[in-house]
Amino acid sequence: MTEQPFSLIPFISPKIPDLKIKGTVTRQYNLLTIHYGLTGKLEEIFLPSLSVNPARKDELWKTTCFELFLAVKDSPQYWEFNISPSGDWNAYHMDAYRRIGFREETRIQKLHFEIQKDKNALVVGVSVDLNPIIQVEQILEIGISTIIQTKDGDETYWALVHPAPHADFHLRESFILAMAG
């Protein structure tokens, strides 16, 4: 089992909410688990309501959304997982940078969620079985990010690193965590 802690930093913006986003990502064979912890002034953040029947949905990034990017080392293809605090989710596959060969990843049928919220913290935990898309012996390159939307409608972009002059979670230079199976 490999476990790595992470802390996300905001892309420079005039209105960055007073938050901290930290967590852990764990890979045990081909089960990947990520926990995002959001603390701070949650009352300023727009958090979608919990879905009665969480489901696969598009355009989750248009509001507060946790994101996970996975790539196999030395391969241009990668996967994007969108994880809403509502419990809704989606997974996409791209053959190369930004929407080249973009399609919903239908081999991933389900994500296992754990959501805990109180007035000071939100914890979103997700587990995904990678067997349908990745071989256990392959080394993963991982990017972790979050879009935070305030109740005023402002958006900020948080990631492990921001290697470009604009926020771009799809850049492979931002997939800085490596994990073996």
Side-chain angles (χ1 to χ4, degrees), residues 12-73:
I12 297 169
S13 170
K15 294 183 179 180
I16 298 172
D18 185 11
L19 299 172
K20 290 191 183 341
I21 305 172
K22 296 181 177 186
T24 58
V25 60
T26 306
R27 185 176 183 194
Q28 186 170 13
Y29 303 108
N30 239 3
L31 180 67
L32 190 80
T33 302
I34 186 164
H35 286 92
Y36 296 86
L38 178 63
T39 58
K41 295 188 176 183
L42 297 187
E43 66 274 7
E44 297 176 1
I45 306 307
F46 176 75
L47 295 171
S49 300
L50 279 173
S51 292
V52 175
N53 295 308
R56 182 185 289 253
K57 291 189 179 172
D58 283 319
E59 300 184 340
L60 294 172
W61 60 83
K62 290 188 173 183
T63 186
T64 298
C65 180
F66 301 98
E67 297 191 344
L68 174 66
F69 292 84
L70 302 177
V72 174
K73 185 176 177 168

Side-chain angles (χ1 to χ4, degrees), residues 117-129:
K117 183 181 181 296
D118 63 33
K119 66 178 185 165
N120 299 315
L122 170 70
V123 175
V124 176
V126 175
S127 295
V128 60
D129 177 1

Side-chain angles (χ1 to χ4, degrees), residues 77-97:
Q77 71 175 332
Y78 66 101
W79 292 266
E80 173 183 352
F81 292 82
N82 296 157
I83 304 156
S84 172
S86 69
D88 295 322
W89 64 279
N90 213 332
Y92 303 97
H93 180 265
M94 283 152 268
D95 294 329
Y97 177 71

Side-chain angles (χ1 to χ4, degrees), residues 126-143:
V126 175
S127 295
V128 60
D129 177 1
L130 299 177
N131 283 309
I133 60 172
I134 294 171
Q135 296 173 359
V136 74
E137 66 275 2
Q138 293 177 305
I139 296 173
L140 292 179
E141 296 175 337
I142 301 172

Side-chain angles (χ1 to χ4, degrees), residues 7-12 16 21 144 146 157-162 169:
S7 183
L8 303 184
I9 56 173
F11 188 79
I12 297 169
I16 298 172
I21 305 172
I144 301 170
T146 301
Y157 304 93
W158 301 65
L160 296 168
V161 295
H162 296 282
F169 301 151

